[in-house]
Amino acid sequence: MLMVDIIRKKRDGGKLSAEEIDFFINGYVKGEIPDYQVSALMMAIYFKGMDDEETHLLTNAMLHSGEVLDLSMIKGFKVDKHSTGGVGDKTSLVLTPMVASCGVSVAKMSGRGLGHTGGTIDKLESFKGFSTAISNEQFIENVNRIGISIMGQTKNLAPADKLLYALRDVTATVDNMSLIASSIMSKKLAAGADGIVLDVKSGSGAFMKTDEDARLLAEKMVSIGKLAGVRTMAVISDMDQPLGRAVGNSMEVKEAIETLKGNGPEDLNELCLTLGSYMVYFAGAAPDRDSAYAMLKESITSGRALDKFAEFIAAQGGSACDVYDPENLPKASEALDFTAPSDCYVSSIMSEEVGNACLLLGGGRRSKEDVIDLSVGIYLHKKVGEKCASGEKVATLYGNDKKKIEEAYERIKGAYSFSDSPVEKNKLIKGIVD
Ligand code: URA
C-alpha cells in the first residue's frame, strides 16, 4: 500500500477503507510515514470530509494505537465526562465531586489547556502539591476508596491522536468535524469508562460556532460511543459568552468552590446539575433523571460535594484546608477595572477574546512548553442581558505585570458590546443528543 495513493483517493473525494486507515495510523505512529504526507491527508480530509463509517474506523485505529485502560478493577459503573473546550469552563471541578458524592465512581482523564481555552489539570494545580501524574494503579485505588480520581493523559493512551492533534494544530486542520469527533472519542474510549457524558460547546469561544454544527458533532460522537458499546450522550451548551464569571486558573477554582458551597453563578450551577444528572442516571444511582437532579442539588446543600472535593484534593497530594480556605490559592498583585461607558445592557461578550485576554495576562499557553501564571485572570461582573449603570464595574482584570494588564484590558474592552435597550439572556442548554 502506498501513502500517496491514500492521499490521492481522499483528495478526489473517495472513501477510505479500514485497511487504508489502519495503514496510515500505524505507519505514522511507527515513524514510517512522514509528517508532510500525513499533513496532506489531513488537508484532503478537511476539504472532502469523512462519512460516519470512516470516522468510526479512524477512531478505532487511534484508540488501538496504544494502551486501552482496563478499569475492571473498579467496582460498579464508571462514568467519564468531556467538554469540547471553552472559556471559563470549570464544570469538571464542580461536577465530579458532586457526582462522586452521590455514590457514582468517577474515573476521569483530563488535559491541559492550549490557546484560549483552559485545561482542568492546570486549574487543579492551583492547589499546592496536587498532582494528576499518578499511576494507573493509584488511579484505580483512589476511585475504589473515595469514588473519584482525575489523571493526566498517559503517554501511551491513543498516541496516534497525540501526534495527529499536534500536526493538525500547526496545519490549520483542527476544525473538521470527523477529525474532532475521532480525536476526542479515541481518547475517551481508551480511558475505559462504561459511560461518557459529553458537553459540546457552541458559539464564539468554541470549535463549533453554530448550533447546527455543534449538534452534528454531538451526534457523531454519540454514535461512535454507542457503536463501541459505551453509554454516551451529549449536552449542547452555550459558549457565546464565557461560562460563569471567573476566567483564569485559580480564579476558576475559587468559583468552583463557591458553586460547591451553593453560591455559584446560575449558568455554571445549571450546567453541572444537567450534565451530572445524566452521569448519576447512567450509573443507575437514581431511577430517573429528575431524581438524579434532586440528589445532586442535595449534595450541595448538605455540604457532601464540597467535602468530597476536599477528600479528592488531599488524595492527590494537595491540602484539604485550601478547599475550605481558598484564600491560600495563588493571587495576583494588581487589578484593573473595566467600567460601563454609559447606562446600558451587555449585548454580547466574545468568549474567544476573553480567553485571549487571559492568555495575554499569562494565564494560558501559546505553545505546549509555556509555563502559566495560575494567579491571573478576569472576573466578569456583568454578563449578557445584565444592566450596567454608567461607571459601574463590568469586568476586573487581575495580573502581575502592568503592561500585560493594559494589553489585556484592550481585549476585554473589545470583547464587550452594549445596547441602550434591554437584551435577552443567552439560552444555556441548546440541545440534548441521547
Ligand atoms: N479536542 C480534542 O481532543 N481534539 C480535537 O480535535 C479538538 C478538541
Side-chain angles (χ1 to χ4, degrees):
M1 207 175 280
L2 290 177
M3 184 62 184
V4 69
D5 291 335
I6 299 176
I7 300 170
R8 186 179 300 112
K9 186 175 183 185
K10 185 44 80 183
R11 182 200 68 188
D12 296 341
K15 176 171 170 159
L16 300 184
S17 67
E19 291 73 30
E20 286 163 335
I21 290 175
D22 285 346
F23 174 83
F24 96 78
I25 288 293
N26 292 335
Y28 192 39
V29 172
K30 285 188 196 146
E32 292 166 2
I33 300 177
D35 278 353
Y36 53 82
Q37 283 193 307
V38 179
S39 305
L41 180 61
M42 290 299 110
M43 195 54 90
I45 292 173
Y46 181 87
F47 282 116
K48 298 293 176 177
M50 276 184 142
D51 70 12
D52 283 351
E53 194 183 350
E54 287 173 293
T55 309
H56 185 239
L57 290 168
L58 177 61
T59 310
N60 250 333
M62 295 205 290
L63 153 64
H64 294 293
S65 66
E67 177 189 20
V68 177
L69 275 193
D70 176 7
L71 300 185
S72 58
M73 298 288 285
I74 299 178
K75 294 166 261 169
F77 191 96
K78 282 83 60 187
V79 276
D80 195 352
K81 171 254 164 189
H82 184 83
S83 153
T84 57
V87 180
D89 185 4
K90 68 283 285 175
T91 44
S92 290
L93 304 179
V94 185
L95 179 65
T96 50
M98 275 166 80
V99 170
S101 75
C102 292
V104 175
S105 297
V106 181
K108 178 158 170 47
M109 193 83 53
S110 282
R112 292 188 183 277
L114 188 62
H116 73 278
T117 62
T120 300
I121 296 184
D122 299 316
K123 291 170 199 176
L124 283 168
E125 285 178 354
S126 301
F127 291 102
K128 215 165 156 221
F130 182 93
S131 173
T132 53
I134 55 175
S135 65
N136 293 357
E137 291 70 30
Q138 188 67 56
F139 181 64
I140 291 172
E141 209 269 314
N142 284 8
V143 181
N144 274 334
R145 189 166 52 84
I146 62 167
I148 176 172
S149 188
I150 297 186
M151 175 169 143
Q153 200 184 318
T154 60
K155 262 210 184 102
N156 245 340
L157 201 97
D161 173 61
K162 224 169 264 149
L163 291 170
L164 273 185
Y165 196 20
L167 190 72
R168 287 166 55 217
D169 205 26
V170 291
T171 54
T173 50
V174 169
D175 45 352
N176 168 273
M177 205 115 25
S178 289
L179 295 177
I180 295 177
S182 55
S183 163
I184 292 175
M185 291 308 287
S186 63
K187 285 180 286 222
K188 287 286 116 181
L189 294 172
D194 305 308
I196 302 172
V197 169
L198 300 162
D199 179 11
V200 178
K201 303 286 188 194
S202 164
S204 68
F207 282 118
M208 297 297 124
K209 307 289 180 207
T210 65
D211 294 353
E212 292 71 36
D213 281 352
R215 176 166 287 275
L216 282 176
L217 177 62
E219 284 170 357
K220 264 193 199 300
M221 291 199 288
V222 169
S223 139
I224 293 170
K226 286 189 174 163
L227 276 169
V230 175
R231 192 140 189 213
T232 311
M233 66 79 60
V235 171
I236 299 163
S237 71
D238 181 47
M239 195 28 72
D240 258 331
Q241 66 176 337
L243 184 67
R245 294 188 185 271
V247 176
N249 296 282
S250 68
M251 287 174 57
E252 292 190 38
V253 171
K254 287 178 200 164
E255 185 166 78
I257 292 172
E258 279 309 304
T259 309
L260 287 167
K261 287 180 180 166
N263 309 320
E266 206 182 306
D267 56 351
L268 175 62
N269 192 45
E270 181 54 30
L271 185 58
C272 290
L273 288 168
T274 304
L275 292 165
S277 63
Y278 280 98
M279 293 169 83
V280 170
Y281 172 55
F282 273 12
D288 51 53
R289 264 228 320 123
D290 287 345
S291 324
Y293 193 96
M295 274 170 82
L296 289 163
K297 272 183 115 168
E298 196 274 334
S299 78
I300 302 278
T301 47
S302 64
R304 274 189 297 117
L306 183 71
D307 291 344
K308 186 55 77 184
F309 189 52
E311 206 179 353
F312 156 64
I313 294 300
Q316 293 191 207
S319 160
C321 299
D322 292 348
V323 172
Y324 296 110
D325 186 6
E327 284 311 302
N328 294 334
L329 296 174
K331 229 185 278 161
S333 56
E334 309 272 341
L336 180 64
D337 293 328
F338 166 55
T339 56
S342 58
D343 290 348
C344 56
Y345 295 85
V346 176
S347 55
S348 72
I349 308 173
M350 282 161 63
S351 310
E352 194 165 349
E353 277 304 272
V354 178
N356 284 333
C358 187
L359 198 64
L360 285 170
L361 290 167
R365 284 188 190 83
R366 289 165 218 256
S367 77
K368 280 195 185 121
E369 293 70 34
D370 279 358
V371 175
I372 58 181
D373 184 340
L374 296 168
S375 69
V376 303
I378 301 120
Y379 191 84
L380 310 174
H381 301 281
K382 299 289 179 185
K383 293 194 60 184
V384 174
E386 291 177 351
K387 197 174 175 178
C388 323
S390 178
E392 196 181 356
K393 279 187 205 171
V394 172
T396 302
L397 294 97
Y398 294 92
N400 295 307
D401 177 325
K402 279 203 168 81
K403 233 176 128 211
K404 286 184 185 171
I405 297 176
E406 275 159 26
E407 224 182 312
Y409 177 91
E410 292 305 318
R411 293 292 184 122
I412 291 296
K413 201 171 148 193
Y416 269 89
S417 302
F418 301 99
S419 159
D420 293 337
S421 43
V423 174
E424 236 183 83
K425 290 197 173 172
N426 289 6
K427 188 166 178 215
L428 175 68
I429 309 286
K430 299 179 163 190
I432 303 281
V433 177
D434 191 1

